Amino acid sequence: KNQFALAEPQNYKGFLLERKVLEIFDDIRENKKYRDPRIVCYAQPILNVDENKYKTAEALVRLQINGVNVPPIKFIPIAEERGYIHSLSLAMIHKVAEAINNELKDSEFDAITINISAGELSDEQFATEVLEILDSYNISYDKIRLEITESAMFEDTDILTENIRKLKDSGIRFYLDDYGTGYSNLDRMTDSEFSTIKFDKSIFYKALANKETEEMLDAVISLVKKRGINTLVEGVETITQVEFAVNKGFENIQGYYYSRPVPIENLVDYFNKKQ
Ligand code: C2E
Ligand code: CA
Ligand code: CA
Ligand code: CA
């Protein structure tokens, strides 16, 4: 019997990765105070405004300990610091792939996005490993998209460029996450790297309250669209915000107004089922 008592069966392909991720906490590794820790894949459906349908979703990791969720903000930074974030990303890709082949196999949707942390793209093996996992499930590469923040792009290394090229050539799209939170370099963000820009809720809320920010938002949206890049707004919670988002021309809307993140298998309730 394994010391972590993971819920997943031993033949689940991501099992060892998942176990590795759980080692981020000494207490888990030493099997001290936590019972039954596990990594669970949640996902939040995203509305496509034109079609008024949920066509994509964002995978969001949940760490459950003693049956309670630990928020990502409390363990992602630790995982990043201690070198476990890459295993976490790969484990999440396994989980999303499993769901696509099982619970979601009769659902109609475009893709599920997965968060990648800064630094991972500078790992020589990154693209190869991602493609290998998808191959092992026989999943079409365009069903998975990767979200990265601008800070992931700061190290402008050859390896990073090569990883992105390899993944993009294979049909994997990149989303720029959290736009409006960092130093936003318009040149960088509208070059051909990204298929979608995700506007952070902070800039969106600010535009709702402040005319100057609203004008700036209008200008950015118009520039982004001119470059053929899609727009998505996050953190939409109220009908007022929905109306504002639609009015601004956002093509995709994500937020609690439509749904909180749910266990990934529950996406069947949102994606259209095939007839
Ligand atoms: P993020 O990538 O910006 O993900 C969106 C966060 O906003 C999620 O928080 C989501 O639950 C939350 N959210 C969605 N709709 C609303 C809304 O209407 N209002 C508000 N206030 N919040 C909303 P969550 O799941 O706690 O994740 C927090 C962050 O942790 C993520 O921010 C991401 O940076 C990181 N994260 C989550 N899962 C993963 C993962 O699998 N890998 C990596 N590397 N990072 C992850
Ligand atoms: Ca994200
Ligand atoms: Ca975000
Ligand atoms: Ca983020």
Side-chain angles (χ1 to χ4, degrees):
K1 189 168 178 282
N2 82 80
Q3 61 171 325
F4 297 118
L6 290 188
E8 308 287 357
Q10 289 282 352
N11 65 2
Y12 157 62
K13 291 199 206 99
F15 179 80
L16 289 175
L17 283 163
E18 177 167 352
R19 214 174 88 157
K20 184 157 171 57
V21 175
L22 289 170
E23 292 178 1
I24 50 177
F25 294 116
D26 296 335
D27 285 342
I28 292 181
R29 193 169 52 248
E30 289 154 24
N31 200 19
K32 277 193 192 147
K33 71 180 181 220
Y34 302 128
R35 256 173 305 106
D36 200 16
R38 61 183 87 177
I39 303 283
V40 181
C41 184
Y42 272 53
Q44 187 175 28
I46 297 168
L47 187 84
N48 176 291
V49 175
D50 270 357
E51 300 185 33
N52 198 31
K53 273 185 196 163
Y54 299 101
K55 301 193 73 176
T56 56
E58 176 180 14
L60 294 159
V61 66
R62 294 292 178 261
L63 170 60
Q64 293 183 352
I65 292 174
N66 301 342
V68 177
N69 278 350
V70 180
I73 192 100
K74 290 225 174 113
F75 69 92
I76 298 276
I78 300 174
E80 283 172 342
E81 249 163 59
R82 301 185 61 171
Y84 292 101
I85 199 71
H86 184 51
S87 302
L88 174 70
S89 296
L90 299 181
M92 288 294 282
I93 296 173
H94 274 283
K95 286 175 179 292
V96 171
E98 292 250 311
I100 289 177
N101 276 353
N102 294 291
E103 295 93 341
L104 303 179
K105 81 172 179 302
D106 296 320
S107 298
E108 236 176 52
F109 64 98
D110 284 350
I112 295 177
T113 63
I114 295 169
N115 290 283
I116 299 299
S117 288
E120 289 188 75
L121 283 165
S122 302
D123 176 335
E124 200 138 14
Q125 291 306 306
F126 184 76
T128 310
E129 286 173 335
V130 170
L131 297 176
E132 271 172 12
I133 294 176
L134 298 180
D135 285 343
S136 78
Y137 290 89
N138 205 10
I139 284 184
S140 162
Y141 296 152
D142 62 4
K143 281 290 182 217
I144 299 284
R145 297 175 185 170
L146 302 179
E147 296 193 7
I148 59 178
T149 59
E150 269 176 308
S151 58
M153 304 293 288
F154 281 163
E155 285 177 72
D156 204 355
T157 63
D158 290 350
I159 297 175
L160 178 140
T161 312
E162 179 58 20
N163 271 322
I164 292 183
R165 193 199 56 77
K166 195 167 175 182
L167 291 166
K168 282 188 65 184
D169 285 355
S170 305
I172 295 190
R173 297 176 198 194
F174 284 84
Y175 282 25
L176 178 63
D177 202 359
D178 299 346
Y179 174 76
T181 54
Y183 320 76
S184 296
N185 179 335
L186 272 182
D187 278 352
R188 170 170 270 157
M189 99 184 190
T190 54
D191 70 18
S192 59
E193 242 53 287
F194 302 106
S195 72
T196 295
I197 296 192
K198 296 189 76 161
F199 287 72
D200 190 71
K201 59 181 182 297
S202 58
I203 189 180
F204 178 70
Y205 295 169
K206 211 173 157 203
L208 237 166
N210 175 296
K211 197 74 199 159
E212 270 168 44
T213 309
E214 183 183 352
E215 282 165 12
M216 193 211 68
L217 184 66
D218 286 336
V220 175
I221 291 174
S222 136
L223 176 65
V224 167
K225 286 189 170 178
K226 215 173 279 172
R227 304 275 171 99
I229 299 170
N230 289 316
T231 54
L232 185 159
V233 61
E234 290 187 283
V236 174
E237 296 178 353
T238 65
I239 184 66
T240 309
Q241 291 168 351
V242 168
E243 282 164 2
F244 190 66
V246 171
N247 211 263
K248 292 288 122 191
F250 281 105
E251 287 133 337
N252 301 280
I253 306 181
Q254 175 177 1
Y256 296 163
Y257 179 81
Y258 294 105
S259 171
R260 297 214 162 224
V262 295
I264 191 165
E265 58 271 19
N266 293 10
L267 287 177
V268 290
D269 299 334
Y270 295 87
F271 293 151
N272 281 347
K273 284 184 186 161
K274 279 194 186 124
Q275 294 307 308

